[in-house]
Every structure is written in structure tokens, then in C-alpha cells.
Amino acid sequence: MAKLKKKNTNKPDDKLVSIFESIRIAVSAIWANRLRSALTLFGVIIGVTSVITIISAIEALMGSFEDQINKLGPATFVITKFGIITSEEEFFKALKRKDLSLEDKRALEKGCPDCEEIAARAFRRSKVKRGNKGLRRVLTAGATHNLIEIVDFEVGEGRSFTAEEYDRNSRVVFIGPTIVEEVFEGQDPIGKTMKVQGRKFTVIGVAKERGSFLGNNQDNFIMIPLSTYSKIFGRPRRNLDILVKSSTVEGIDETQDQARSILRARRGVKYNDEDDFAILTADNILSFFNNITRAARIALIGISSISIVVGGIVIMNIMMVSVTERTREIGIRKSIGARRKNIMVQFLFEALILSLGGGIIGTALGIAIAAILGSQISLPVTPSLFAIVAGLSISTGVGVFFGMYPAMKASRLDPIDALSFE
Amino acid sequence: MSLIEVENLWKTYDMGHEQVNALRGVDMKIEKGEYVAIMGPSGSGKSTLMNLIGCLDTPSKGTYRLNNQAVADLNDDELARIRNKEIGFVFQTFNLLPRATALHNVELPLIYNGTSRELRRESAERAMQIVGLGDRMTHRPNELSGGQRQRVAVARALVNNPSILLADEPTGNLDTSTGMEIMGLLADLHRSGNTLIVVTHEYDIAKFADRIIFLRDGQIEKEEYKQAG
Ligand SMILES: Nc1ncnc2c1ncn2[C@@H]1O[C@H](COP(=O)(O)OP(=O)(O)OP(=O)(O)O)[C@@H](O)[C@H]1O
Ligand SMILES: [Mg+2]
């Protein structure tokens, strides 16, 4: 056998073309076909953008809802007549329950040692007016003086009402910034009077601005002592809530149990019957919310994923065109010693670089669009790690998945056929 | 033992309604260092034979031993390795990558055997010098004349220092004098030790070879040896 002298006898033959070299080849091919590459990129961008927009929006929505619920605080629970109603049946059952009353609250004050703070609250809508300036259907809360100790809202100017004012059914009102804007035309309202459902009240304080949540202005409210509220509007019935702050966060379950047995006894609930009231905490409201929205979230992401598939098909199509157009190139490479996997990796890298590029742009675009849409309903959207990871991994997956077939096809071309391709 | 041993080699193309026998039982041996020309009328199977020798294609029947290795036993990757290391192919239509520079075209075979960047550059530049294109390294194929393109193709064929140089009508797309230059270049490479097999239509070109193999209808019609001296 002829012994051949070799220049690079120590070079391992099996060594793969380096990743760097493959990337270089792919990048130059992408650059050489700029227009086609841009088209591919576009297909991916559309898909990734829509998915990431949806994901970012959902995340922001969930996060903002969570923030909202968490304002209740981790040690607080709310006792209501209705609780979370998920069916008509439940609604009618709850309708038959006895109303919660201030007597229930008093019973807790007497019998619940771990209830550090107990407040009550009722809501309605009412008309407010000063001179010829007024607002209709303003959210009006009647509250015990200690509500502010439990629920997270802050006094901006002036003060909230005192226990004495509560006891004396004083006509004092604590107002939201929107009322200052709309009714007092931005002037300092403290000490001035305004009319609530035709009754004259003195403004004692203004709440700190909270902005809006999902398009709901949270600053358009007034709060008056519950005692005064009962006198004017009648005793609050269905919608009286009792809010309890447990003395410790860890002890919240025991505090709930104490409150529960006191209320059951007072309201004459039989041993085997279920509670005729509901206890809500930030946690169980959140998990309820998560549960009811889960299906919708999955559906939204699922629907938007269709556009990813469309993007993937664009990649596949354009890669197929690319393979056909470059059949001769593939033939040349094979004729001088490129292996199947070299060709495969080359085309796969091309698909991957395009889809990853599209993924990066699409992720950024998706977050930006979600942020713009969010700002319309005052929903703060921030770039989340999850959205970024999702965007990049989806696009990588799409590139590999849809680039695989064209790359395989390219790698399996017969060198002679490929070389004689016109 | 010869470098190339071909025994009863058949190549049949199945065209559906009929079978085309491009090669019908070819037997031949080519020694290391030989210069062989293959002649024959169009359609006689010259390219088919070259493609089989160059491991670009596989025979329908018969055996081909290269360096005492039965090619039929090799898988796709091993064939690619042989094309890369043992064979340097020069085509009638040059077959250069149009968007790559001349130097990059010459480097290409080295990329596929994992040669380091520096060594690759060095070897490709040397090959470009050998074919007399030291001053055309960064030109793209469309910025080169036909003769220069074929020189680049020759440089690419020899860059890996292969056992065999195969040229299928390397002058087919060139005018006579340019064709003669390319043949002179190939003859130089043969003189420096390479085994050379050239397909040509022109007897004037074939007569430089040590031996001329005449093909007709897929069979060897006759062989002609150059007179010693
Ligand atoms: N891929 C193919 N499919 C079918 N028939 C083929 C194929 N390739 C070659 N042939 C046939 O095989 C025969 C030999 O072809 P080949 O290309 O080897 O001829 P050649 O001697 O190189 O001719 P030329 O001098 O014109 O290049 C021809 O009849 C041709 O039609
Ligand atoms: Mg031919």
C-alpha cells in the first residue's frame, strides 16, 4: 500500500468543525441573503411578540392584583356574609344567612383575645356636592375609626376620624384626592364643608393618592364614621364586613378559629352545620383568583402560541427555499469533505441564529407593547425574568424544531445530484 | 498493490421505464504517482467513473479499492473523510463558492478536517502561491478570469495534499491557451509527486499523460501507454 506523506498527520480526522466556524458560516449566509433573513426574522418576531405581550400582560395583571390584595396585610382577615360566591346556588344559600352586625363585632371584641384590632366597614354609592360642583355615585365607606389601623391606606393631609367622633356620630368626612380635584377644584379642603346625599359634612383629611387599578380610579371615594353612616343611610345589612387583625401573622389561623367559634355560638350555628359567614384572607382570595383565571391564562397563551407556530412555519419555508437555492453550495461542500452533520449544523445554526435574533427582538417588543397597553389602564408592566426566559427559549425551540427538517434535507443531499443542480 | 484498483465496476441509473448502464464492467489499476488521461465520446461514462473514483458516488456493482480499502465498506462520514483527505477534485465548472474569497474557497477543505485557523491560512496561502495567484487571495470568483478560477479550484484540490488529483474536463470551459496553462500546472503537480487523473476530449491534452484510457459505452475500449523517453 502506498504510504502517503501528510502535512497534518497528527490532526484528528473526526474533529468537528468548530462551533465558531459554523456560526461564521451561518452568519455570512444570513448576511448574504439579507432580505430573506429579514423576512424570517419578521415571522419569528410576530410570533414571539404576541406571546410575550400576553405573558407580560398576564404577569402584570396577576402581580398588580396580588399587590392590591396584599394591601389587606398578612395578619388580617375579613368576615363577610357572602364570601367568594362561585355559583347561583351558593348565592341563594348565602342570601338566607343572617346579616353580620355590629353585635357580632362586639362579641368578637369581648371573646377573641388574639383579635388585636377589629373594625367594621360598609359601602354604598352617594352624591357629593359643594356649591355647584359635585360628583355622583362616589364610593362611600362607613367605617369604624380603627379601620385605618388595619387596611393599608394612608393619610395625605389632615387626619382620619377619632373614636370620639365615631361615638358622637360626627358629620366628618375623609376624602380621596379625586374629590379634592373635582369638588374643591384643587384647593385645600380641610375644615371646609361639603354635602353627602344632601347632608353637610366637614372635611377632616385627604387620603394619599393611590392611582388607579385596572382602569378603576381608587382615589374617588369618601369615608365617614359608620355610626353616622347608619344614621343617614340606615343600618348596613348585607354588606357589613368585619375586619380583624390578628396579633401575630403566624397565629392568623388560630385567631380565625377563635373568631369562628365565637360567631358560630352567637349566631346559633349547629355543631354539624357549616359557617353562616365567610372568612377571607389575602391568601385565599389570591388562590381563588389564581384558580378562576388559570384556564383563561392558559387559553390566552395557547392562542397566542399559534402565531409562534406560524413563525416556525415561516422559518421552515424560508429555510427550504434557502436549501434549494444553495443546493450547489451544499454539493461543493460535500464534494470537498463536509459530512452530513457539518451541513446539518450549518443550516441549523442559520435557523437558530435567525429565530434567536427574532426572539430577542420579539421579547423586547412584546414587553414594550404590554407596557404601552398597560399604561392605558394604569397597569405597571415591568420586564420579567419569566417573560425573557420564555421568549428566548420559545424562539430557540422554534428554531431547532422548524429548522431541523430543512437542515436534515440539506445534509442528506447526494453530492453528485447537488453539484449538477441547476 | 496499486493505489486504485477497480474490478468489474458497474453503474446503473434506474430511469423508471429503462435502465441506463453508464458503466458496464470496468477493470483498471492506477499506480501511485501515475498520470492517467481518460478519453471517450460524450456519454461514454467518463464522469461517472471519475465520480466513483472520487468517492462522490457509489457503484451499483463491482469493487473499488483505494489504498487497499474497499470503498463499499465505508459509511457516509468515512467517504466524506476520504473526499476531504485523499481526493482533490477539479471540475469543469470550477464549483467555487461564489460569495467567498479565493482564499476562503481554498481553505474550505481544511475547515472540514478541523485544521487550526493559522495553519489553515498558511496552507491556503501556500496553495495559492503554487497556482500563481499569490496576489489574488481576496478576490471573489466573479472578480477572477476563468483560468484564474480554475487555478483557485486547483489550489483547493491540492491544499490537503491528497493522494489523488482528479480533474474532469478541467479545460472544458477555457480557451486553448488558458487550458494549456492549467494542464501545465497539473503536470507540474504530477511531477512533484501527485497521482493525477484527467478526463479530456482533446488528444493534445491527453498525450501528456503516462497512459490514456479510452472509454466507450461504459467499457474500456483500449489503453495507450506513452513511449518511454
Ligand atoms: N444522474 C444520472 N441519471 C441518469 N443517467 C445518467 C446520470 N448521470 C449520467 N447518466 C448517463 O450515464 C451515461 C454516462 O454519463 P457521463 O456523464 O459519465 O458521460 P461522460 O462520458 O462524462 O460524457 P461527457 O463527455 O459529455 O461529459 C450517459 O448516458 C448519461 O446519460
Ligand atoms: Mg463528463
Side-chain angles (χ1 to χ4, degrees), chain A residues 1-2 4-5 7 13 15 17 21 24 32 328-329 332-337 340 342 416 419, chain B residues 32 51 67 76 80-81 83-85 93 95 97 99 104 108 112 114 120 126 156 159 161 163:
Chain A
M1 179 182 133
L4 296 156
K5 66 170 167 47
K7 266 182 284 193
D13 287 323
K15 200 164 152 191
V17 181
E21 209 57 57
R24 231 177 59 102
R328 267 187 85 85
E329 173 192 327
I332 293 170
R333 290 183 186 275
K334 286 200 137 188
S335 74
I336 55 159
R340 280 186 182 176
N342 298 141
I416 295 291
L419 275 176
Chain B
K32 179 180 167 0
N51 291 340
N67 273 331
D76 219 73
R81 194 199 71 84
R83 289 198 290 271
N84 183 261
K85 285 287 209 173
T93 52
N95 281 337
L97 294 185
R99 286 188 294 268
H104 185 75
L108 219 51
Y112 288 115
R120 220 158 67 202
R126 191 165 51 232
R156 181 181 65 189
V159 74
N161 197 16
S163 317

Side-chain angles (χ1 to χ4, degrees), chain A residues 64-123:
Chain A
S64 139
F65 190 78
E66 198 166 321
D67 286 351
Q68 207 63 25
I69 299 300
N70 281 338
K71 281 186 179 158
L72 204 54
T76 304
F77 56 93
V78 181
I79 305 165
T80 76
K81 179 172 167 181
F82 284 95
I84 296 169
I85 304 283
T86 55
S87 70
E88 215 172 312
E89 194 189 340
E90 274 179 350
F91 175 74
F92 285 114
K93 209 154 94 187
L95 211 55
K96 288 193 212 120
R97 292 169 173 174
K98 258 187 263 175
D99 295 329
L100 284 167
S101 65
L102 288 172
E103 284 75 53
D104 290 324
K105 174 178 177 265
R106 236 161 271 139
L108 291 178
E109 279 161 354
K110 261 192 232 129
C112 176
D114 290 341
C115 298
E116 186 184 292
E117 204 71 63
I118 305 169
R121 173 184 72 182
F123 289 114

Side-chain angles (χ1 to χ4, degrees), chain A residues 109-399:
Chain A
E109 279 161 354
K110 261 192 232 129
C112 176
D114 290 341
C115 298
E116 186 184 292
E117 204 71 63
I118 305 169
R121 173 184 72 182
F123 289 114
R124 71 189 308 279
R125 299 274 169 183
S126 50
K127 203 161 66 185
V128 302
K129 209 166 174 214
R130 175 181 164 84
N132 56 1
K133 289 269 162 193
L135 283 173
R136 298 176 156 274
R137 298 192 50 76
V138 174
L139 183 68
T140 305
T144 52
H145 70 280
N146 59 350
L147 183 70
I148 197 159
E149 314 277 341
I150 298 180
V151 180
D152 166 45
F153 69 79
E154 286 172 86
V155 177
E157 279 166 69
R159 58 179 180 81
S160 179
F161 45 83
T162 61
E164 291 79 57
E165 283 166 332
Y166 178 83
D167 289 342
R168 280 191 272 116
N169 307 345
S170 301
R171 299 268 171 102
V172 289
V173 63
F174 180 81
I175 63 179
T178 302
I179 311 293
V180 179
E181 282 303 311
E182 299 287 324
V183 180
F184 290 92
E185 294 176 297
Q187 285 161 7
D188 182 11
I190 294 178
K192 301 209 174 97
T193 61
M194 64 187 277
K195 281 189 170 166
V196 178
Q197 288 298 97
R199 274 101 169 166
K200 200 192 250 178
F201 279 75
T202 306
V203 178
I204 53 167
V206 179
K208 252 196 191 143
E209 197 174 321
R210 289 204 293 180
S212 50
F213 173 62
L214 307 185
N216 253 333
N217 180 357
Q218 300 186 89
D219 296 322
N220 186 14
F221 75 95
I222 63 174
M223 188 170 81
I224 60 177
L226 183 59
S227 51
T228 317
Y229 180 103
S230 309
K231 255 186 118 179
I232 297 173
F233 305 119
R235 264 178 59 160
R237 294 170 54 81
R238 281 176 201 161
N239 61 4
L240 184 82
D241 300 332
I242 297 172
L243 291 89
V244 179
K245 186 174 178 186
S246 166
S247 50
T248 61
V249 175
E250 308 79 54
I252 185 167
D253 287 340
E254 280 159 48
T255 314
Q256 276 181 48
D257 286 343
Q258 287 177 7
R260 178 176 288 122
S261 43
I262 291 161
L263 288 180
R264 284 177 69 95
R266 214 198 82 76
R267 293 159 68 91
V269 180
K270 291 206 198 75
Y271 177 73
N272 274 326
D273 288 356
E274 53 187 62
D275 295 345
D276 67 345
F277 52 87
I279 296 181
L280 303 178
T281 61
D283 272 359
N284 64 30
I285 295 172
L286 267 181
S287 67
F288 171 74
F289 179 75
N290 283 336
N291 281 335
I292 56 162
T293 56
R294 181 168 299 125
R297 280 179 285 149
I298 291 172
L300 270 174
I301 292 174
I303 290 165
S304 62
S305 303
I306 292 171
S307 60
I308 289 274
V309 175
V310 172
I313 290 170
V314 169
I315 292 195
M316 186 148 92
N317 257 302
I318 292 180
M319 291 303 293
M320 289 304 278
V321 172
S322 178
V323 168
T324 308
E325 245 179 40
R326 284 152 66 194
T327 301
R328 267 187 85 85
E329 173 192 327
I330 295 163
I332 293 170
R333 290 183 186 275
K334 286 200 137 188
S335 74
I336 55 159
R339 294 162 199 216
R340 280 186 182 176
K341 65 182 163 205
N342 298 141
I343 301 294
M344 170 122 163
V345 165
Q346 175 188 336
F347 279 89
L348 215 48
F349 262 118
E350 218 176 297
L352 203 58
I353 290 170
L354 284 174
S355 61
L356 201 58
I360 291 169
I361 299 172
T363 304
L365 221 55
I367 293 171
I369 290 175
I372 291 166
L373 292 180
S375 70
Q376 302 296 307
I377 54 167
S378 16
L379 178 70
V381 176
T382 47
S384 79
L385 187 66
F386 176 71
I388 292 168
V389 170
L392 299 189
S393 48
I394 289 170
S395 54
T396 307
V398 164

